[in-house]
Amino acid sequence: MEKKTLFDKVWDAHVVDTVENGPQILYIDKHLIHEVTSPQAFAELEERNIPVFRKDQIVATADHNVPTKDQHLPIQDLLSKKQVEMLTENCNKQGITLYGLGHPYQGIVHVMAPELGITQPGMTMVCGDSHTSTHGAFGTIAFGIGTSQVAQVFASQCLLLSKPKSMRITVNGKLKNGVLPKDVILYIIAKLGTNSGTGYFVEYAGDVFKDMTMEGRMTVCNMSIEMGARGGMIAPDETTFEYVKGREFAPEGDAFDQKVAYWKTLPTDEGATFDKEYEFDAADIEPMVTYGTNPGMGIKITDRIPEINDVSFEKSIKYMGFEKGEKLLGKPINYVFVGSCTNSRIEDFRTAAAYIKGKQKADNVTALIVPGSQQVAKQIKAEGLQDIFEAAGFEIRQSGCSACLGMNEDKIPAGEYCVSTSNRNFEGRQGPGARTILASPLVAVATAIAGKIVDVSKEIEEEELVIA
Amino acid sequence: MEKFEKLKSQAIPLPIENIDTDQIIPARFLKATNKVGFGENLFRDWRFNKDGSENESFVFNNNKYSGKILVAGDNFGCGSSREHAAWALTDYGFKVVISSYFADIFKGNALNNGLLPIQVSPETLKAVFNAIEENANTELIVNLEDQTFEVANTDIKESFDIDAYKKMCLINGYDDIDFLVSKREKIEAFEASRKF
């Protein structure tokens, strides 16, 4: 029998038809939408008088452009207000489920769908957002699409696509204390480069991902797009099934057992081949930081910025205000952001709180904690984490994409550094002129406490804190 | 969608690698609910100074350069899936982007908006940059039917790849929605046949 990869199995199960000498028609199980990339798609359908084909397979939330303060009040920014209102209007008109502002399920689209059990193994999922790759953590083919494609899925629940090539990235061994999933993916991107995955769908395999929680797997898959890959996947296993079980939209009873039996058939067959393979050793991975303006420009936190003679590299370093050969350790930092679809799940805040407990943030630092969803916010409170953050001087906001992309008021001032748990360090990403240093939640909060970048491994060693 | 067959035009060179869609159109300009006017903020933070005045050192503000073709460094359009990046480029007047590498989502978005992304070899890209640097009035010629790209009055010529279906769409001005809607019966049959 033909040996298939996890990706092949899910893809092949969703091919409706193949266009001669052209793309395939791929069926989409779940379509997530938000306020920023959907209005033009709704307008497109309306102009052509085409109805939404499968409204029950669409779920909407407002996240990109919402304030993270006073969400019960009308949105102050009139353009943002209009965009959010338009989402409500479009969803109401089309009968699409919306978890809008104020709804107990509202949240960042890639935090909300997994925690509600909407995301399930073996599905195809799309959203007008490149970090849709997050859902691949469940063994799902999930990828970001443009607004024209949002309209195509509205109209037909399908997309025209050519099957991407396959890549497997294996990391075996055991991660060191204080090395988090975020460090693993920053390490991989730094090793392979920001466009190494273009044209590929990635499968992450090996001990490190097997041992990871679902939250950690989501962090890894989330950043697949930062190496250019459309998506990343991890084979579903008991950890996956346990996570999905009992969630709001997960199947129940016999239906769940039947699904699990199917999900167990999905992992890559032994002997299946990939177009490209990479292998790394967990022991080589340390806490990471980025020093440049794309996520591939990352180093171990104790390393020096490489000395590369290249115009684009130099432009990037200049923007960041760094010098070649310089260390980032000891750099004073005034802003810290813990949030985004990469790192705003409950586990991220548990890790952050474990480190922060009993400490105070440095006076020079403004530290923002932005939960990924209303449910995460509720959990932070219930578990007593909120008290720890507040006592340490961190500011807790309401859920949304916030300072990850600075569409709302949550911007980092020009010229300032922000150690951020988000996914992109592009020029101006967190506000015009802002300088982003990507890192794990642990590195971020350690920075907030010290007021500068510190070697977090040493810090936790001294305190005998076990964080993994 | 506008039809695309041939184009002869001068080009604007942007020899920077890894230009992400946040540079093409920063997130704070994504609040519009229609597709028009994004050209105004194309490369906003590179084109304009903080006080709103034009940044004279940026190539778009140099009168020497103009045209409907953007020539950009490797890995153009990485990052966010925002189709607003393609809308901003077309709204500004571009019909073609040439680079040695395109990010997947951007490439798809461009094609869905009649903006032709042409991937050339790194050597050809370098030669094109050199030709434009030597003479800003250099004209580039794109022929979609033949899938060729050349620099006028030079021997720089290369053929480029494009999906046959996408090529047909561009030449005829078709888009995927009509095609997919015409397949609804097949899609419904697929839905009915699924076990999981």
Side-chain angles (χ1 to χ4, degrees), chain A residues 27 48 77 147-148 155, chain B residues 31 46 83 175 184 191 194:
Chain A
Y27 191 80
R48 299 177 187 220
D77 180 322
T147 298
S148 293
Chain B
K31 296 182 184 187
W46 289 353
E83 195 159 317
D175 68 24
R184 273 195 179 172
E191 286 176 324
R194 295 184 77 194

Side-chain angles (χ1 to χ4, degrees), chain A residues 293 312 315-316 319 426-429 432-433, chain B residues 13-26 28-29 40-50 52-62 70-78 89:
Chain A
T293 55
S312 297
K315 180 181 184 291
S316 176
Y319 177 85
F426 298 151
E427 279 185 33
R429 171 81 177 178
Chain B
L14 200 50
I16 300 168
E17 292 178 2
N18 301 316
I19 294 176
D20 58 79
T21 53
D22 271 81
Q23 305 318 314
I24 300 172
I25 182 90
R28 61 188 190 280
F29 301 111
E40 227 174 277
N41 295 310
L42 175 69
F43 293 114
R44 175 78 203 190
D45 294 335
W46 289 353
R47 259 167 78 197
F48 299 97
N49 296 313
K50 273 177 213 140
S53 61
E54 282 188 0
N55 172 8
E56 284 171 17
S57 68
F58 187 60
V59 66
F60 279 47
N61 298 321
N62 185 338
L70 178 67
V71 187
D74 196 59
N75 196 28
F76 185 79
C78 59
L89 287 161

Side-chain angles (χ1 to χ4, degrees), chain A residues 265-279:
Chain A
T265 67
L266 294 175
T268 295
D269 296 330
E270 185 117 14
T273 54
F274 290 79
D275 296 308
K276 230 180 213 177
E277 291 237 34
Y278 294 101
E279 221 170 299

Side-chain angles (χ1 to χ4, degrees), chain A residues 72-106:
Chain A
H72 62 290
L73 298 176
I75 301 176
Q76 297 292 309
D77 180 322
L78 292 179
L79 287 173
S80 303
K81 184 167 181 270
K82 187 179 165 204
Q83 215 171 38
V84 172
E85 282 172 356
M86 197 162 251
L87 179 70
T88 310
E89 207 176 288
N90 282 325
C91 287
N92 287 346
K93 210 190 284 176
Q94 301 287 349
I96 294 168
T97 301
L98 165 68
Y99 303 134
L101 268 193
H103 192 285
Y105 292 165
Q106 179 270 337

Side-chain angles (χ1 to χ4, degrees), chain A residues 1-5 9 265 267-273:
Chain A
M1 222 173 74
E2 193 197 347
K3 311 277 187 206
K4 282 184 163 193
T5 65
K9 291 181 194 180
T265 67
T268 295
D269 296 330
E270 185 117 14
T273 54

Side-chain angles (χ1 to χ4, degrees), chain A residues 6-7 10 119-124 134-142 214 217 221 232-237 240 263 266:
Chain A
L6 163 65
F7 177 77
V10 182
T119 306
Q120 292 167 24
M123 283 182 166
T124 49
T134 309
H135 308 268
F138 291 77
T140 305
I141 291 184
M214 287 314 292
R217 293 178 188 183
C221 290
M233 305 172 87
I234 293 173
D237 59 9
T240 321
W263 296 341
L266 294 175

